[in-house]
Amino acid sequence: QVQLVESGGGLVQPGGSLRLSCAASGFTFSVAGMGWYRQAPGKQRELVASITVGGSTNYVDSVKGRFSISRDNAKNTVYLQMNSLKPEDTAVYYCNGLYRKFAWGQGTQVTVSS
């Protein structure tokens, strides 16, 4: 069955960096557009970054210039490099398909606080 396992979150000070990883299995990763989503307390889950099969990327305005999504098809893994983190980036981060959605993983908590 499909598994999406996110890791790499933690507590970081404002201005700091984190690199999230998402290991995927159970589907043909190399032909799937992928996205990183986040859900802050009391808010709806939102798509923050996406990457197509061809490697084209897109970002929500609030993270442009700070976050970078990438993928390694050999490892069935998608990454999210997060720099210049702000308190408003605090959320649980998830990966999932961009067009076809799978069962959500457990996510990884990112907390930005001094």
Side-chain angles (χ1 to χ4, degrees), residues 3 5 10 12 29 36 38 41 47 53 60 62 70 75 82 89 100 107 110-112:
Q3 279 196 312
V5 180
V12 63
F29 180 83
W36 278 98
R38 69 184 178 188
L47 175 66
V53 171
V60 68
S62 59
S70 60
K75 295 182 178 180
M82 305 187 296
D89 295 318
R100 177 186 177 188
V110 171
T111 303
V112 185

Side-chain angles (χ1 to χ4, degrees), residues 70-89:
S70 60
R71 64 190 297 159
D72 185 337
N73 290 339
K75 295 182 178 180
N76 285 1
T77 300
V78 60
Y79 304 98
L80 186 67
Q81 177 67 44
M82 305 187 296
N83 300 325
S84 303
L85 282 161
K86 303 177 180 180
E88 51 264 42
D89 295 318

Side-chain angles (χ1 to χ4, degrees), residues 23-39:
S25 61
F27 64 100
T28 308
F29 180 83
S30 61
V31 300
M34 295 296 295
W36 278 98
Y37 303 77
R38 69 184 178 188
Q39 187 166 21

Side-chain angles (χ1 to χ4, degrees), residues 60-71:
V60 68
D61 285 347
S62 59
V63 309
K64 281 181 181 177
R66 301 188 297 120
F67 289 12
S68 178
I69 187 171
S70 60
R71 64 190 297 159

